[in-house]
Structures are given as C-alpha cells and as structure tokens.
Amino acid sequence: MQFTPDLLPSDIVGTRIFDQRSGEFATSPGPIFANVVLADEINRAPAKVQSALLEAMQERQVTIGPQSFPLPDPFLVTATMNPLDSDGTYALPLAQMDRFLVNILVDYPSAEEELGILGRFGGETPALPHDVASMGDLVRWRSDARAVFLEPKIASYIVALVHATRKHHDYLDRGASPRATLALAALARARALCDERSYVVPDDVRAAAPAVMRHRLAYNYRTQVENVDRETIVAELIASVSVP
C-alpha cells in the first residue's frame, strides 16, 4: 500500500457497504487481509490512518463496524520510511513504532555494492525468483525458531538489556517496553536457527539488540540540541550490561 496524505483508514482495513437489494450492510475487506503487507512511506499518512494498523499488528484482527475479523496466519507488516524529507510527513507514535519487531537502517551502498546493483539492474530487468518458499515453510520455520533453547542466563541478560534503557539517562525520556524483551528473545532465537544452532548464545542477543532497541526509545530534546548520535546512545546502553 502506498501511504499518502489523503488515505483513509477504511482504505486499509475495509468498510461496510449498504446493499440496496438485500437492505443489509455488507463488509468489504481492505488490502490488510493479506499474509504480507508493505506500507510504503508510512509517515506520509496522518496519525488517524497509521492508527488503523495498531489493532492488526497486535491483536492480528481488525474491527469493521460491529464485527471483528481475524487476519490470515502468518501475518506480517513491513514498512518503509524516508527520514531525509520531513515535508508533508507525520511522525509515527511510539505505540505504533513499538509494534514493529525491528527497525533496520538502510544507508548508501558501498562502491562494490553499487557496482553489483549496476550490473544486475543496469540493463534488462532480471527475472525475479518464484516459489522460493511455501506458506507451510514459513509456519514451520516460525515453529522451529520458537523451539530454540533459551538458557535462563541468556533470558536474564535480555531482561537486563531492556531494563538498562529504563534507568535515568541524560538523553532519554523513556526506555523500551516489555515488547522489546519479547522481540529480542524472538530475534535471537531466529538468528540461532539461521546459524543452524538449537540454542541461543550472547552474540545472538547483542547482534539483534540495536535493531530491536533503536525505535523503542523516547529521546529527549537534548539529543537534537547537542547533536548526539542516537546509534551511539544505543551502543553505549548495550555495552553497559555485562555479557554472561
């Protein structure tokens, strides 16, 4: 979905339409009823439209009129946001940012990477791969990731990392929520599974922590006034917790 300033919540979740023949209202589901939803330039839409995703991303359902409808399983919301252009954009509320598992920063490609881009897309558009994985594969991978062993010491380490963000800090007004704890454990398990391990190690947690933390922290005005790099704040918080 391309998010624009004139988008309405009903354009995302759907609406109820009156059928003159039957004299009843019929529900017309929106594009959010999909396994994978991509919100392109999510900060182009006003807060009222962005809030239409809150129920879907947490409860995996949407309410249209008096009825609630479950979303497909698995259900995933991904979004892009252009941080370079603030004209005509709306800041995402912290409650919505908190519902995203990770926040991945995409910088300029290196010279080698850009050469690869030029070689791949500089001529005819290459054929995209199809049937890479089935829906059953995704469900099985999710189950396998949840079965990865998380040692109590690693679990305590995850909690300690999140609690470190809630202590008094010169550049933070508020730390990460309990969703960060759950997200960090889930991502560490997934990383271990990708490395073909049946257990989580501290490196899994440390590697996942920046992407899990950076968008869940409420930075205060001093961060901007003193031109402090937010990534430095996150890195210092992670480094302040001893590794088990």
Side-chain angles (χ1 to χ4, degrees):
M1 296 179 289
Q2 180 65 52
F3 274 46
T4 56
D6 60 345
L7 201 66
L8 298 175
S10 58
D11 296 329
I12 299 174
V13 299
T15 187
R16 288 169 59 82
I17 302 174
F18 183 72
D19 189 343
Q20 293 183 349
R21 293 182 179 180
S22 62
E24 299 177 349
F25 281 94
T27 300
S28 176
I32 200 170
F33 286 88
N35 293 109
V36 179
V37 176
L38 170 60
D40 192 22
E41 293 191 306
I42 190 172
N43 56 333
R44 294 292 180 189
K48 189 174 183 180
V49 176
Q50 296 173 10
S51 64
L53 295 173
L54 294 180
E55 182 185 15
M57 295 176 68
Q58 183 62 42
E59 281 77 26
R60 300 295 191 270
Q61 68 174 26
V62 294
T63 301
I64 305 175
Q67 290 181 284
S68 295
F69 301 90
L71 292 168
D73 182 45
F75 174 73
L76 175 69
V77 174
T78 60
T80 64
M81 184 169 63
N82 186 352
L84 302 178
D85 183 11
S86 59
D87 294 337
T89 62
Y90 303 83
L92 270 66
L94 193 61
Q96 182 177 2
M97 295 285 286
D98 197 19
R99 282 165 166 78
F100 285 100
L101 180 71
V102 294
N103 180 8
I104 300 173
L105 302 180
V106 181
D107 205 347
Y108 287 116
S110 64
E112 292 76 11
E113 291 170 339
E114 200 150 0
L115 277 173
I117 294 173
L118 180 60
R120 185 177 180 186
F121 298 100
E124 291 291 334
T125 303
L128 297 177
H130 295 281
D131 301 326
V132 176
S134 67
M135 203 61 64
D137 292 330
L138 297 180
V139 174
R140 187 181 72 255
W141 293 337
R142 182 179 62 182
S143 178
D144 292 344
R146 290 173 177 172
V148 172
F149 177 67
L150 184 66
E151 187 181 357
K153 289 183 179 180
I154 303 296
S156 298
Y157 177 52
I158 291 174
V159 173
L161 282 173
V162 177
H163 274 253
T165 68
R166 301 173 187 167
K167 298 178 182 178
H168 174 73
H169 196 283
D170 292 339
Y171 300 109
L172 295 179
D173 282 339
R174 193 163 48 255
S177 73
R179 285 194 185 99
T181 305
L182 298 175
L184 193 50
L187 204 61
R189 282 187 163 112
R191 189 176 187 272
L193 181 66
C194 290
D195 287 345
E196 299 182 348
R197 281 184 280 105
S198 60
Y199 55 90
V200 175
V201 297
D203 284 346
D204 295 326
V205 179
R206 290 178 67 87
V212 170
M213 298 290 191
R214 63 169 58 102
H215 62 295
R216 290 185 162 92
L217 305 180
Y219 304 91
N220 60 30
Y221 72 98
R222 291 185 58 183
T223 307
Q224 185 172 2
V225 171
E226 300 180 18
N227 196 25
V228 178
D229 183 18
R230 296 184 177 186
E231 290 302 297
T232 302
I233 297 175
V234 174
E236 290 176 350
L237 288 171
I238 296 171
S240 68
V241 181
S242 301
V243 179

